[in-house]
Amino acid sequence: MEPSLSVFFLFYRLCTLSKGLLAPSRGLTQESQNPENVFHIREVRDKLREIVGASTNWRDHVKAMEERKLLHSFLAKSQKGLPPRTMKDSYIEVFLPLGSQPELREKYLTVQNTVRFGRILEDLDSLGVLICYMHNKIHSAKMSPLSIVTALVDKIDMCKKNLSPEQDIKFSGHVSWVGKTSMEVKMHMFQLHGNDFSPVLDATFVMVARDSENKGPAFVNPLILESPEEEELFQQGELNKGRRVAFSSTSLLKMAPTAEERTTIHEMFLNTLDPKTISFRSRVLPANSVWMENSKLKSLDICHPQERNIFNRIFGGFLMRKAYELGWATACNFGGSRPFIVAVDDIMFQKPVEVGSLLFLSAQVCFTQGNYIQVRVHSEVASLQDKEHMTTNVFHFTFMSEKEVPLVFPRTYGGK
């Protein structure tokens, strides 16, 4: 078989594992009775800066990080030394009043008069970090000694195709599972319709705790389960962890394709052979098909200080927004009509992005079926001092097109 198809294998395995191991996302069904746990969207980043002592002035960031070194004494030596917390302790609500405060709309508005999903990804990333700080809150300390960062966007499922830029939005979320140094966060988004908030999306993020200088792991507060509903949520977190381990172990870098995968791919390969010749080198596309390598779009961004997070690295939400927007453009260009986001899967944050880096994004369609388009976006960075490129993230987006789209066929083993 001609070398061609690792990207297809990736999505084939992802779909196979997800069928049996990924439970539907749920969360606590409650409303916050504590006004301290209810925020306006503009307050979230300010609250995070307050918690870690970050400065809004880029020139002060070195001084601020030096001050965080003094917080090492507040770090626990073991998880047993930390007081357990409940899921309700970390529950917060955040309001994005697009309807009642129209001045907020322009930042979130698309040319099609819908809400920019890339901006929602930014808000979810900030919300997930704040939820984890609420879980690990130290009442005796003004600032937290923990540096909490996003490790993985496990899954985002959309319940609605379009969002109105003229109706208020509400986010809610809480910690649903805890390891020794990591936490799973369940978040939900709703939009006002009439007098009620209707579900828009469910999201599961995995966050990790680092020490005050963001150099090594740090322990997080254990979790107490208070009801059968919370026990089910925690068990789902365990299943999600097991699924991620299983998926990682089946990487093509570690394991050869299975017999079923080899059969599927060989059938695809045979479908692209020229029937007029008897040569594996002679390849033709079936009707209504596109070579995977011809579905690519690329972009380049300079990572300015404006896009930094509270630890003076590039904000993960910014990376997700840029990747999503390139992925959307790729799906739009490929399908020839406006695509709608259906799901986001397995965004792994492999390496932090430093301020001043050059950010290279490359998107390509990896699988199609009916109206659905699977897009993979690869992110890598290079510093201004050297030309070495390093992978930082891989993003997976599923879109639905307004009309049926062509099939996509890999030409090489790498799909490039």
Side-chain angles (χ1 to χ4, degrees):
M1 183 174 67
E2 179 175 345
S4 170
L5 316 158
S6 60
V7 177
F8 178 89
F9 283 140
L10 173 67
F11 289 105
Y12 185 91
R13 289 179 175 175
L14 182 62
C15 295
T16 302
L17 282 166
S18 296
K19 285 179 182 176
L21 294 173
L22 184 60
S25 178
R26 299 180 189 172
L28 294 179
T29 52
Q30 68 173 64
E31 289 192 4
S32 178
Q33 304 299 317
N34 185 354
E36 291 185 2
N37 294 346
V38 180
F39 301 89
H40 187 286
I41 194 67
R42 285 175 171 166
E43 296 177 308
V44 174
R45 296 292 290 274
D46 291 340
K47 183 67 175 177
L48 289 172
R49 290 190 188 97
E50 176 187 323
I51 289 172
V52 303
S55 172
T56 56
N57 190 335
W58 166 247
R59 287 177 292 184
D60 295 337
H61 75 279
V62 174
K63 177 183 176 183
M65 296 310 291
E66 283 294 320
E67 291 175 351
R68 284 192 58 77
K69 290 182 181 180
L70 304 176
L71 299 174
H72 267 280
S73 60
F74 288 98
L75 291 170
K77 305 301 181 186
S78 72
Q79 193 175 41
K80 293 181 180 178
L82 292 169
R85 297 285 159 76
T86 68
M87 291 190 187
K88 293 184 180 67
D89 288 333
S90 62
Y91 180 87
I92 66 173
E93 293 178 359
V94 174
F95 286 88
L96 173 57
L98 296 178
S100 50
Q101 295 183 14
E103 64 274 14
L104 293 174
R105 286 181 199 161
E106 187 159 327
K107 177 181 175 181
Y108 290 85
L109 189 65
T110 72
V111 70
Q112 294 91 8
N113 199 41
T114 59
V115 173
R116 292 175 64 182
F117 185 69
R119 291 295 188 192
I120 299 301
L121 290 174
E122 290 183 324
D123 292 339
L124 287 171
D125 194 41
S126 295
L127 177 61
V129 175
L130 180 56
I131 287 169
C132 290
Y133 274 119
M134 299 297 283
H135 174 82
N136 294 281
K137 189 174 183 180
I138 300 177
H139 297 283
S140 60
K142 182 180 178 181
M143 293 190 298
S144 173
L146 299 180
S147 302
I148 296 175
V149 296
T150 305
L152 172 74
V153 178
D154 189 77
K155 193 165 184 66
I156 301 175
D157 287 315
M158 300 297 296
C159 313
K160 196 168 181 243
K161 189 165 74 169
N162 275 327
L163 299 177
S164 169
E166 298 177 0
Q167 301 294 331
D168 289 355
I169 286 173
K170 179 177 78 170
F171 300 92
S172 67
H174 61 87
V175 170
S176 56
W177 175 89
V178 165
K180 289 187 177 181
T181 63
S182 60
M183 297 156 282
E184 182 184 88
V185 176
K186 296 285 187 191
M187 292 177 283
H188 308 280
M189 177 177 161
F190 308 85
Q191 186 157 49
L192 190 64
H193 290 277
N195 297 321
D196 299 315
F197 280 97
S198 301
V200 171
L201 66 76
D202 298 319
T204 303
F205 281 42
V206 177
M207 325 298 285
V208 293
R210 312 273 294 169
D211 62 27
S212 55
E213 296 181 76
N214 198 12
K215 291 183 177 179
F219 293 106
V220 299
N221 294 66
L223 188 63
I224 295 177
L225 307 178
E226 298 184 309
S227 68
E229 179 190 10
E230 292 185 0
E231 290 175 3
E232 184 179 350
L233 285 171
F234 189 86
Q235 184 60 32
Q236 182 183 326
E238 290 284 350
L239 290 173
N240 289 343
K241 179 184 176 183
R243 174 180 55 82
R244 290 190 291 269
V245 172
F247 184 67
S248 174
S249 67
T250 61
S251 165
L252 286 174
L253 298 176
K254 300 178 182 178
M255 181 184 295
T258 65
E260 182 183 2
E261 289 170 342
R262 289 196 298 269
T263 300
T264 300
I265 294 304
H266 191 63
E267 289 175 355
M268 291 183 68
F269 174 69
L270 292 178
N271 287 335
T272 64
L273 289 182
D274 188 347
K276 299 177 182 178
T277 67
I278 314 176
S279 171
F280 281 2
R281 293 175 179 269
S282 182
R283 307 283 297 282
V284 293
L285 273 172
N288 192 35
S289 301
V290 176
W291 290 122
M292 186 183 292
E293 64 185 6
N294 294 332
S295 70
K296 282 188 177 182
L297 288 181
K298 296 184 178 183
S299 69
L300 168 64
D301 282 279
I302 302 171
C303 297
H304 295 289
Q306 182 185 11
E307 309 300 343
R308 72 190 186 279
N309 63 16
I310 52 179
F311 304 113
N312 294 299
R313 271 31 185 291
I314 293 300
F315 175 42
F318 167 77
L319 300 175
M320 286 194 284
R321 174 168 64 83
K322 300 301 291 188
Y324 165 77
E325 290 175 351
L326 181 62
W328 185 93
T330 302
C332 182
N333 185 59
F334 181 86
S337 65
R338 176 183 168 197
F340 302 91
I341 186 68
V342 174
V344 180
D345 293 279
D346 291 298
I347 299 177
M348 180 74 73
F349 289 83
Q350 300 178 19
K351 178 181 171 59
V353 177
E354 302 293 340
V355 173
S357 300
L358 298 177
L359 176 67
F360 297 85
L361 296 175
S362 176
Q364 69 180 128
V365 175
C366 297
F367 185 77
T368 62
Q369 187 175 56
N371 288 41
Y372 291 93
I373 305 171
Q374 188 85 47
V375 178
R376 177 183 185 268
V377 182
H378 179 261
S379 166
E380 58 185 21
V381 296
S383 70
L384 297 177
Q385 287 73 37
D386 60 64
K387 296 182 180 181
E388 181 183 6
H389 288 221
M390 301 190 67
T391 297
T392 60
N393 306 79
V394 179
F395 306 83
H396 305 120
F397 302 105
T398 303
F399 295 95
M400 183 178 68
S401 182
E402 292 178 320
K403 60 184 182 181
E404 191 166 332
V405 299
L407 296 174
V408 65
F409 280 85
R411 194 195 290 260
T412 66
Y413 195 82
K416 296 181 180 180

